[in-house]
Amino acid sequence: MEIFGSDVMQATVQILKNSKHHHNQSYTALDLMAADIPTVAPLLLATLDPRQNKQAELDLREIEKLPGYSIILLEIIAAPAQQETTRLASALCFKNFVRRCYNDENGQHLLPDDEVNVIKTQLLNLMVSSPPRIQAQLGDAISVIAQCDFYDRWQNLVGDIVSRFSTDNTVTNTGVLQVAHSIFKRWRPLFKSDELYTEINHVLGTFSTPFLSLLETTDQRVEADKGKKESLLQLFTTLEVMMQLVFDLSCQDIPPEFETNLQAVSGVLLKYLAYNNPLLETDDDSEVGVLELVKADIFEVLILYTTRYEDDFGPLLESFIQSGWNMLTNIGPETKYDILVSKALQFLTAVCGNAGHAQSFNNESVLESIVEKVIIPNLSLRESDIEMFEDEPIEFIRRDLEGSDNDTRRRAATDFLRKLRDHFNELVTRVVMKYVHLFLAEYVKDTEGKWRSKDTAVYLFSSIAATGIATSTQGVVSMNPLVDIVEFFQTNIASDLLAESTVQTILKVDAIKYLYTFRSHLTKEQWHSAFPLLVANLNSPHYVVYTYASISVERAMFLTNASHEPIFSKSDIQGSATNLLQHLFTLIQKDTEPEKVQENEFLMRCAMRVLIVIKDGVLEVVDSVLPQVVNITTVISKNPSNPRFYYYHFEAVAALIRWGSPTQPDKFEQTLYEPFSEILRNDIQEFVPYVFQLFAALLEANPAGTISDYYRTIIPPILQPVLWETKANVPALVRLLSSFIARDAAQMVVNNQIEPVLGIFQKLVSSKVTEAAGFELLEVVVGTFPFDALKPYFSQILQLVMMRLQGSKTDQLGLRFTHFFHFCSMRAGQGLGTDVFVEQTEALQPNLFPELYLGILLPTTPTLTRPLDRKLAALSELTTLLTSQAFNTRYLKGWGKTLLSLLSLLSDAPRLQHTTDYIVLEHDVDDLSFGQGFTQLSVLKRPGKDWVEHVRDVPAWVRGQVAEAKAKGVDLEKLAAERLPPVVTGQEELQKALGQVGGLVA
């Protein structure tokens, strides 16, 4: 149904129709003409060519609107005559097409049933017969379809997978098992529910027995082919997936077939945990072999069974503990074993999590053996670690500091040691400190030759000193009371931080990291002494040193005390800000290649934090910093490769705009317009949502200024539907469009741009994903444009909402529409108000408003939770009671219910904090996820819009309005006494309500 008739909206409607593939032509794969393939195949090949890929992708987007496009892609994949690169491109395209166009947000198919059936019939056969690279893409596509249709609309899938199990074709087995794993692994994080268990039972009833048979067959073939390398590699690849499936199938509960055969299954696991065969060993010390992966997956299963199924698995555990111990005490230091060692240590950590099993470690000699044979070898630096430190410093930092790689030996050994300490703190601390002192003594005897001993000592000490979980904001929060971290620092570490060139580089890093780790336990005075030392280390020639220094400086500036006050204020940083920022930007731009400029996100995060801390102090550095950020923006736009870096970069730009642009709007607008526009012109998709937010911030920074012509040129493009197709753009586009409306509403009316704007609202409100953004835009439209200009469209706006409420109402839609009603009710002075809303609603259908009000608006009002929303609702309801002709003449029942709703709101009146400051980094950016979705720039985050900001004290305002109405002859207390009885049951409730009303009048 077309509501708004502009060309823009017509284009939007057409795009929506096309993208949903609502064509009625019925066909099978045989109906497709071969001439279609020669058209599509060259375009697929062109998508792999950087010189042609963008145009080829646009052409394919047009072709995909035609009937049977997905089947054409499958035909190309299946055609042996096609180049393998073309077939691979078709598989990639098919996978992405399925992700976008197979189903809508409600899980309904966007493709015709005939096409869906052909896909499901052909896809699994095609996958198992394809080369490995193509097989992987088609497996992903099956997984995407299964997320929508499995299991209720694809009940034969598991049977189809099982039917392809083979006693002699390992490649086929691996392929179909990988498909099964891609589907079943989604059970792992889910909470128990009847629906989930119904699905799992459906799978287990068909899959379990054949799967165990295949496991037995695969085991037998390993024995038979133990001297055949190629066969063994394929068989162990199959075993790897099978171990993952054992975990998948057991993640919610032990499958009955597994429980019945637990002894046999455990025997297979134990066998392969101890299995060795020279044919499976890799020649490269850094290349992980398939045997190590199988063993690591077995440990994952053991961790699950140890922590979840102790009653069933406990009696079998001892053999696995012994096997794990033997492996850890005999395995080499090569990096190819890192994942395996980490999983083995995690398994022992899980064993220690059980108090009964942990008692076997409650012995000093046992603990000494563990520390000496397992903990220390896996905490100590290896040659490979030092090589990474020197050759791949950024990777060394990410692994060591962030915890992004949980499969490091150091981390797993630390967790194991801490779990032991949780049970036996005094004993473990005594044993570990003996080794700490031993290593420190070795270092003192030979500071140049034994520096690794000190590194091990510091790491050992830190491992037992910290308790609980370290946070990204505060670092280690709780401490082991048996050690003194300040004394240890002063005695053993401070000298390394102070030394300029005489200390080994890694020990310098250890000193900086020590401060970083225990940062929340330093006093403000201690931090103010340590901070200059950290800043001085930014001048180090060593990449890891200056990067660790930047990390610690940034985290120090983020620290707060117990009262949530920052340790470092603006005045503490302002004096050194210019030099600090200049040095950071010099380090960032030391290499001019785009990949190198954005390699080190830690340096950019530090620069960002400086700008945030100094706030309006940016005015003192803007002349030197603004050209730097423009240059960095230009360089990294050529090849965005590090999402964290450019997130921090755009937060830094946002800080400059927020605190600098209000004072120098022309400078910022003129300097940033061209690089930002270039990003939009070149469609740098990773940056576009950030640029929209920053453009909006520039407009908001100068609310009273005349908008420039070059900014007006942005308005027509953002009204085009194509930009709004990308969901990641929507929140930023809504803010940008809202900013334009606030600055340029009069000119937009002259330019006939209201209708295109409402067309955007129509598009947004039609989807559950964007409905909230749609109402955000609508309230800006109604709150800014003259109502006379909007009145011709208002009933159509309501009609759009009614269609959604009737067709696919969500809780969020009900809340946003209720908020919109209260918002309109408070705009009587601008031509709207409750009575106009009633009139416009009734124009759609007689008696629609009472049904809408009693069925949705009134029941939803108490569920508004944000203080600003509750404030608006309270003001709206009182205004309606006192001024609405409709409620005071026709809707007396509604009047009484509205009064009760108002009294309920006022019994918990919203307490508002009035501030002109935005929320700065409400949560740390490390908590954010990065990808193709929208990422809010936290520096620009605003509190919700307060449409009735003139009211500061709600109860006082209510009393004033009630008194003013009474002076004009509208007595709320008298009206309540007359109108409440029909809606209040019981004399006691009535008297209570009247007493509340009397309190308002008093």
Side-chain angles (χ1 to χ4, degrees):
M1 177 178 178
E2 187 174 308
I3 300 297
F4 303 109
S6 69
D7 292 340
V8 170
M9 200 54 227
Q10 289 173 6
T12 302
V13 171
Q14 190 59 45
I15 284 175
L16 289 173
K17 287 180 178 177
N18 289 337
S19 68
K20 290 184 178 180
H21 300 267
H22 284 159
H23 41 76
N24 298 317
Q25 181 176 346
S26 180
Y27 60 90
T28 67
L30 296 176
D31 294 325
L32 295 170
M33 295 185 296
D36 292 300
I37 293 177
T39 302
V40 174
L43 291 173
L44 291 169
L45 195 58
T47 62
L48 304 178
D49 184 349
R51 298 166 299 177
Q52 307 178 64
N53 62 339
K54 284 199 173 183
Q55 186 57 51
E57 289 166 1
L58 290 173
D59 292 342
L60 287 171
R61 283 295 186 99
E62 289 300 313
I63 294 174
E64 76 178 26
K65 300 171 186 176
L66 300 175
Y69 172 72
S70 65
I71 312 303
I72 294 173
L73 295 178
L74 294 181
E75 292 287 327
I76 292 172
I77 296 168
Q82 295 289 341
Q83 299 178 46
E84 186 170 333
T85 50
T86 304
R87 296 171 65 193
L88 177 60
S90 187
L92 282 164
C93 190
F94 177 80
K95 178 185 71 174
N96 293 328
F97 173 79
V98 165
R99 281 179 173 161
R100 293 193 322 272
C101 304
Y102 186 79
N103 59 278
D104 63 17
E105 62 190 20
N106 298 314
Q108 300 303 308
H109 291 152
L110 296 174
L111 303 177
D113 290 341
D114 290 348
E115 192 168 344
V116 169
N117 291 334
V118 171
I119 289 171
K120 290 181 180 178
T121 302
Q122 292 188 1
L123 195 50
L124 192 60
N125 278 332
L126 183 56
M127 192 212 78
V128 298
S129 63
S130 296
R133 291 196 301 168
I134 294 174
Q135 194 175 86
Q137 301 304 322
L138 295 181
D140 288 344
I142 293 174
S143 178
V144 171
I145 294 171
Q147 286 179 3
C148 174
D149 288 355
F150 187 77
Y151 78 101
D152 53 341
R153 290 189 293 188
W154 203 357
Q155 295 195 9
N156 63 336
L157 175 59
V158 178
D160 286 347
I161 290 173
V162 168
S163 71
R164 285 162 175 81
F165 287 174
S166 170
T167 58
D168 57 6
N169 191 330
T170 312
V171 174
T172 295
N173 288 338
T174 301
V176 294
L177 288 170
Q178 284 174 335
V179 170
H181 171 55
S182 71
I183 297 168
F184 305 159
K185 69 181 179 182
R186 65 186 177 85
W187 299 337
R188 295 188 180 193
L190 300 181
F191 292 108
K192 292 181 179 181
S193 68
D194 291 342
E195 182 181 2
L196 173 62
Y197 273 53
T198 300
E199 179 180 320
I200 293 175
N201 288 333
H202 165 80
V203 170
L204 294 177
T206 306
F207 193 82
S208 291
T209 300
F211 174 76
L212 290 178
S213 297
L214 182 60
L215 180 61
E216 182 180 2
T217 301
T218 304
D219 176 43
Q220 292 169 353
R221 285 197 61 196
V222 169
E223 284 299 312
D225 293 355
K226 60 185 176 182
K228 302 175 183 178
K229 182 173 182 176
E230 289 304 318
S231 178
L232 277 178
L233 289 171
Q234 292 178 356
L235 286 165
F236 269 82
T237 301
T238 302
L239 277 173
E240 181 191 0
V241 186
M242 297 190 87
M243 294 304 104
Q244 293 167 349
L245 278 162
V246 170
F247 192 106
D248 297 337
L249 298 169
S250 308
C251 65
Q252 294 289 333
D253 203 349
I254 301 181
E257 287 291 324
F258 286 20
E259 190 171 5
T260 302
N261 297 279
L262 190 56
Q263 190 81 37
V265 172
S266 296
V268 173
L269 299 183
L270 189 60
K271 171 184 175 178
Y272 287 105
L273 205 57
Y275 186 91
N276 286 296
N277 190 320
L279 295 177
L280 294 173
E281 294 180 4
T282 57
D283 297 329
D284 189 336
D285 287 348
S286 63
E287 181 186 354
V288 182
V290 67
L291 177 58
E292 287 76 54
L293 293 175
V294 169
K295 291 183 178 183
D297 288 330
I298 291 173
F299 276 121
E300 289 272 22
V301 173
L302 295 178
I303 293 167
L304 174 68
Y305 274 66
T306 300
T307 54
R308 296 278 298 275
Y309 311 125
E310 164 67 18
D311 291 344
D312 297 292
F313 191 63
L316 304 171
L317 192 57
E318 187 60 38
S319 298
F320 289 101
I321 295 173
Q322 189 61 48
S323 181
W325 175 260
N326 291 339
M327 190 203 73
L328 284 169
T329 53
N330 289 284
I331 202 164
E334 293 83 3
T335 56
K336 66 181 179 181
Y337 300 127
D338 284 2
I339 294 175
L340 175 55
V341 170
S342 175
K343 296 301 180 186
L345 287 166
Q346 289 172 28
F347 166 60
L348 292 181
T349 305
V351 171
C352 287
N354 181 293
H357 294 302
Q359 286 303 316
S360 60
F361 301 104
N362 189 12
N363 178 282
E364 186 165 349
S365 62
V366 171
L367 286 172
E368 285 179 348
S369 180
I370 290 173
V371 172
E372 188 169 323
K373 295 180 180 179
V374 175
I375 301 298
I376 290 173
N378 289 299
L379 283 182
S380 301
L381 281 173
R382 302 165 295 173
E383 286 300 324
S384 58
D385 297 321
I386 297 171
E387 288 174 8
M388 179 178 286
F389 182 93
E390 295 171 349
D391 301 335
E392 299 178 81
I394 192 66
E395 183 63 24
F396 178 91
I397 294 164
R398 288 171 182 157
R399 287 192 180 194
D400 189 50
L401 185 66
E402 288 187 279
S404 60
D405 182 358
N406 290 321
D407 292 328
T408 61
R409 294 190 186 214
R410 276 192 156 188
R411 186 159 299 105
T414 299
D415 290 343
F416 180 34
L417 183 61
R418 287 175 176 170
K419 182 61 70 174
L420 290 168
R421 186 208 53 206
D422 289 346
H423 289 288
F424 322 112
N425 189 28
E426 185 176 347
L427 181 57
V428 170
T429 301
R430 185 170 68 248
V431 169
V432 170
M433 287 306 297
K434 182 171 69 173
Y435 285 97
V436 169
H437 294 313
L438 177 65
F439 284 120
L440 288 174
E442 285 183 1
Y443 170 72
V444 171
K445 291 178 183 177
D446 183 3
T447 56
E448 290 188 12
K450 293 291 187 179
W451 63 265
R452 293 193 199 186
S453 295
K454 183 172 184 179
D455 174 79
T456 303
V458 172
Y459 212 102
L460 264 177
F461 179 84
S462 299
S463 296
I464 61 161
T467 62
I469 298 174
T471 68
S472 61
T473 55
Q474 300 292 320
V476 171
V477 178
S478 56
M479 298 297 303
N480 182 346
L482 301 181
V483 298
D484 186 336
I485 62 163
V486 175
E487 189 274 336
F488 187 83
F489 176 79
Q490 292 172 341
T491 304
N492 302 293
I493 298 178
S495 59
D496 295 337
L497 188 64
L498 292 166
E500 295 184 3
S501 58
T502 57
V503 68
Q504 216 285 338
T505 307
I506 288 182
L507 296 184
K508 173 81 74 172
V509 171
D510 287 343
I512 297 171
K513 186 182 175 185
Y514 191 94
L515 287 176
Y516 165 84
T517 301
F518 299 110
R519 59 188 178 274
S520 63
H521 294 274
L522 272 65
T523 65
K524 183 173 183 177
E525 292 71 24
Q526 289 170 330
W527 257 120
H528 279 262
S529 298
F531 191 79
L533 301 177
L534 291 175
V535 172
N537 277 287
L538 288 171
N539 295 311
S540 170
H542 299 288
Y543 189 105
V544 179
V545 173
Y546 68 66
T547 301
Y548 268 86
S550 73
I551 292 165
S552 299
V553 165
E554 188 274 332
R555 289 291 83 184
M557 288 188 287
F558 194 72
L559 270 178
T560 58
N561 59 22
S563 303
H564 304 290
E565 298 167 338
I567 297 293
F568 289 94
S569 64
K570 171 187 170 182
S571 60
D572 295 324
I573 305 299
Q574 186 71 58
S576 58
T578 301
N579 291 335
L580 185 54
L581 288 167
Q582 183 59 49
H583 192 64
L584 288 167
F585 284 120
T586 299
L587 290 172
I588 290 168
Q589 299 171 92
K590 187 164 59 174
D591 193 314
T592 58
E593 290 299 314
E595 296 80 6
K596 296 299 291 183
V597 168
Q598 61 194 302
E599 175 186 76
N600 195 327
E601 66 267 22
F602 305 107
L603 296 175
M604 181 52 76
R605 181 165 70 169
C606 189
M608 172 202 76
R609 185 69 58 201
V610 173
L611 293 170
I612 290 173
V613 171
I614 65 175
K615 294 184 171 59
D616 58 1
V618 300
L619 292 170
E620 297 180 16
V621 301
V622 69
D623 289 338
S624 61
V625 171
L626 195 55
Q628 306 259 30
V629 299
V630 168
N631 180 63
I632 292 172
T633 302
T634 302
V635 172
I636 66 176
S637 295
K638 297 173 184 176
N639 184 22
S641 58
N642 185 348
R644 284 186 177 274
F645 179 92
Y646 54 72
Y647 168 75
Y648 297 132
H649 170 66
F650 286 119
E651 285 282 15
V653 178
L656 286 169
I657 292 173
R658 176 176 167 183
W659 285 293
S661 189
T663 305
Q664 303 179 31
D666 292 341
K667 181 185 184 70
F668 276 84
E669 290 184 8
Q670 292 168 11
T671 304
L672 295 174
Y673 178 81
E674 185 53 38
F676 288 175
S677 297
E678 188 70 12
I679 288 170
L680 299 183
R681 282 194 295 270
N682 293 328
D683 191 26
I684 312 298
Q685 294 184 10
E686 297 90 339
F687 291 179
V688 165
Y690 293 123
V691 167
F692 286 149
Q693 293 178 74
L694 295 169
F695 265 141
L698 287 168
L699 290 168
E700 293 160 2
N702 186 25
T706 302
I707 196 166
S708 61
D709 290 338
Y710 54 79
Y711 268 97
R712 282 206 177 102
T713 63
I714 300 175
I715 298 177
I718 67 173
L719 293 178
Q720 295 301 312
V722 64
L723 281 179
W724 299 81
E725 292 294 320
T726 303
K727 294 293 189 289
N729 289 345
V730 168
L733 276 173
V734 166
R735 182 164 180 176
L736 177 56
L737 184 52
S738 299
S739 301
F740 273 120
I741 292 170
R743 283 279 299 271
D744 210 31
Q747 188 62 41
M748 292 180 73
V749 173
V750 172
N751 293 341
N752 296 317
Q753 289 173 323
I754 288 182
E755 198 165 302
V757 171
L758 292 175
I760 297 299
F761 161 72
Q762 176 175 354
K763 176 175 175 55
L764 297 179
V765 82
S766 68
S767 167
K768 295 178 181 178
V769 176
T770 56
E771 61 192 11
F775 274 100
E776 182 182 340
L777 176 62
L778 179 63
E779 289 183 359
V780 171
V781 167
V782 176
T784 309
F785 287 118
F787 187 68
D788 287 345
L790 292 173
K791 194 169 184 179
Y793 306 105
F794 201 78
S795 62
Q796 289 101 317
I797 292 171
L798 294 177
Q799 187 175 4
L800 284 171
V801 180
M802 297 304 125
M803 290 165 60
R804 271 296 317 278
L805 290 170
Q806 184 176 12
S808 55
K809 178 182 177 293
T810 63
D811 291 341
Q812 178 176 243
L813 181 67
L815 286 167
R816 295 308 301 238
F817 182 55
T818 299
H819 186 276
F820 178 66
F821 165 74
H822 291 304
F823 162 75
C824 292
S825 295
M826 287 302 295
R827 299 195 64 78
Q830 292 77 32
L832 244 171
T834 303
D835 287 338
V836 173
F837 193 96
V838 170
E839 175 190 325
Q840 294 285 331
T841 306
E842 292 291 289
L844 297 177
Q845 178 183 315
N847 298 318
L848 176 60
F849 181 79
E851 180 181 345
L852 186 68
Y853 188 73
L854 297 176
I856 295 178
L857 299 176
L858 196 61
T860 305
T861 295
T863 67
L864 296 171
T865 55
R866 296 190 306 175
L868 286 177
D869 296 346
R870 293 175 65 81
K871 169 188 171 182
L872 178 67
L875 272 57
S876 159
E877 289 186 332
L878 182 64
T879 302
T880 296
L881 292 170
L882 296 178
T883 65
S884 169
Q885 290 298 313
F887 273 75
N888 279 283
T889 56
R890 286 181 284 162
Y891 305 139
L892 298 182
K893 181 179 179 181
W895 192 98
K897 288 181 175 292
T898 302
L899 177 58
L900 292 177
S901 175
L902 172 63
L903 295 174
S904 176
L905 286 173
L906 293 178
S907 67
D908 183 21
R911 303 295 178 188
L912 304 172
Q913 293 182 343
H914 301 284
T915 177
T916 58
D917 201 11
Y918 293 174
I919 301 167
V920 180
L921 296 182
E922 184 179 70
H923 47 252
D924 189 33
V925 290
D926 280 344
D927 297 329
L928 299 173
S929 59
F930 298 93
Q932 297 180 349
F934 172 73
T935 301
Q936 166 79 51
L937 291 174
S938 296
V939 169
L940 301 180
K941 190 174 182 180
R942 302 177 300 178
K945 173 71 174 176
D946 186 358
W947 291 103
V948 284
E949 61 183 354
H950 62 283
V951 177
R952 297 300 181 96
D953 184 333
V954 174
W957 184 87
V958 168
R959 288 191 294 271
Q961 293 296 302
V962 170
E964 184 178 328
K966 186 173 184 180
K968 296 178 180 178
V970 180
D971 189 331
L972 186 66
E973 188 173 19
K974 180 179 178 182
L975 293 173
E978 296 171 355
R979 297 173 181 177
L980 274 181
V983 294
V984 177
T985 57
Q987 188 64 28
E988 184 176 339
E989 289 84 355
L990 173 61
Q991 293 303 318
K992 179 181 177 182
L994 290 174
Q996 288 177 285
V997 177
L1000 297 179
V1001 177

